[in-house]
Amino acid sequence: MVARRRKRVARESESRVPILPGYSAIPIKFSEKQQSSHYLYVREHKVREGTRSSWPQKRTLFVLNVPPYCTEECLSRLLSPCGPVQSVELQEKPELAESPKEPPSKFFHPKPVPGFQVAYVLFQKPGGVSAALALKGPLLVSTESHPVRSGVLKWIRDYTDSVPDPEALRVEVDAFMETYDRKIAEEAAKAKEEEGVPDDEGWVKVTRRGRRPVLPRTEAASLRVLEQERRKRARKELLNFYAWQHRETKMEHLAQLRKKFEEDKQRIELMRAQRKFRPY
């Protein structure tokens, strides 16, 4: 009774396919034991007119709602009946424009996305995209011939893969540094060739290359520079040029005279108080 009810619920859930406008839904299952299906939403990769993309538009399939257990190898295997797959790339979100990509590394790879992802599947022929859009399921992700590890087995495999081989790591780092040094040398040579050469409009690009490097200032040196700047500003000020400046100067001079007069009075009174008559 319970088994028949589960089968009926599974059939009803499969009959109600969630629809996403502009996309085709492909049902997949993790294994044969799974009753309900998960849906991948696919469409042909297209960009706006005038926008460049690193993916060929007629041979690239854009996939949404890719589950975490579905790897690039799994997607390539699931879509291989539609045609030869050239490459598969998983991303956290769709790319909006063409951006320079670094070659994939076995050791220095980005942190995997913990949740659902999007994918770009590049076929060798344009017919693979149309065949994938008409693909019916459900497709099995984990089979006896191609099992997909999950749970503790997946954690053990991820930990084992995270420990690199020192010799292979050294070879890849050396190759990366050689490529980087070659790139810097090419940029320096190109900048040297373009130095002093006017462009199409007659402008000459001025660079900072060749100047004496500036040493970092200490606190004492910064204070000396600030003091010099203050003295320069003080010399540039026009004293007693305006009537209000002349008036304020007189008032300040009178205030200083009064202050000095009061200080002198106090000093004289103190001296008188300390003076005593001493006949012997």
Side-chain angles (χ1 to χ4, degrees):
M1 185 68 178
V2 177
R4 288 199 300 270
R5 182 180 298 176
R6 288 179 178 177
K7 291 182 180 179
R8 185 175 70 253
V9 171
R11 287 195 299 268
E12 291 177 356
S13 62
E14 290 181 358
S15 61
R16 297 192 298 268
V17 179
I19 299 175
L20 190 62
Y23 289 83
S24 300
I26 301 178
I28 63 172
K29 291 183 178 181
F30 181 78
S31 62
E32 295 180 352
K33 298 179 180 179
Q34 187 176 357
Q35 298 295 332
S36 58
S37 299
H38 178 85
Y39 289 91
L40 301 177
Y41 296 97
V42 298
R43 66 171 174 83
E44 182 183 352
H45 173 60
K46 294 181 180 180
V47 295
R48 295 180 180 178
E49 186 177 358
T51 304
R52 300 181 60 185
S53 176
S54 55
W55 300 98
Q57 297 190 30
K58 294 184 178 181
R59 296 191 295 119
T60 305
L61 184 72
F62 178 64
V63 187
L64 280 179
N65 203 29
V66 180
Y69 54 80
C70 194
T71 61
E72 297 175 351
E73 182 184 356
C74 292
L75 270 181
S76 178
R77 178 170 51 82
L78 292 177
L79 299 176
S80 59
C82 303
V85 178
Q86 182 174 337
S87 63
V88 179
E89 183 174 337
L90 295 174
Q91 296 183 3
E92 182 179 3
K93 55 184 179 181
E95 60 179 18
L96 301 179
E98 183 180 11
S99 57
K101 295 183 179 181
E102 297 181 356
S105 172
K106 182 180 179 181
F107 306 101
F108 302 99
H109 50 77
K111 185 178 180 181
V113 182
F116 289 81
Q117 307 171 77
V118 300
Y120 291 90
V121 182
L122 179 61
F123 290 92
Q124 294 183 3
K125 297 180 180 180
V129 176
S130 57
L133 296 176
L135 190 63
K136 303 297 181 181
L139 307 177
L140 296 180
V141 176
S142 179
T143 60
E144 294 182 359
S145 57
H146 298 87
V148 176
R149 297 181 181 180
S150 61
V152 178
L153 296 178
K154 182 177 181 301
W155 295 344
I156 295 174
R157 185 195 61 184
D158 293 344
Y159 175 76
T160 305
D161 295 342
S162 65
V163 181
D165 181 15
E167 183 62 24
L169 179 61
R170 184 190 62 79
V171 171
E172 181 164 346
V173 170
D174 292 343
F176 176 83
M177 293 307 300
E178 289 178 2
T179 306
Y180 177 78
D181 294 340
R182 192 182 312 113
K183 179 181 177 183
I184 295 299
E186 291 175 356
E187 292 178 355
K190 183 179 179 181
K192 189 175 182 180
E193 291 177 358
E194 295 178 352
E195 186 177 1
V197 179
D199 57 7
D200 298 337
E201 299 180 356
W203 294 94
V204 178
K205 183 178 180 181
V206 180
T207 61
R208 297 178 59 89
R209 191 172 62 85
R211 293 186 178 183
R212 185 176 60 182
V214 180
L215 297 176
R217 291 179 178 175
T218 60
E219 185 177 357
S222 300
L223 292 176
R224 284 197 299 269
V225 172
L226 292 176
E227 182 64 22
Q228 292 176 1
E229 294 293 334
R230 188 187 65 79
R231 290 178 181 176
K232 288 181 181 179
R233 288 196 301 269
R235 284 197 299 267
K236 292 180 180 179
E237 291 179 358
L238 298 176
L239 300 177
N240 297 332
F241 182 78
Y242 298 100
W244 62 269
Q245 288 181 330
H246 191 65
R247 186 168 56 251
E248 287 185 355
T249 303
K250 284 185 175 181
M251 293 177 63
E252 291 178 359
H253 183 61
L254 289 174
Q256 291 178 0
L257 290 177
R258 292 194 184 97
K259 183 178 179 182
K260 191 172 183 305
F261 177 71
E262 294 294 334
E263 291 177 354
D264 292 342
K265 281 176 60 177
Q266 293 179 3
R267 188 168 62 254
I268 292 172
E269 290 179 359
L270 182 60
M271 292 173 61
R272 285 178 178 176
Q274 292 178 351
R275 187 173 58 185
K276 295 182 180 180
F277 178 71
R278 297 176 181 175
Y280 304 105

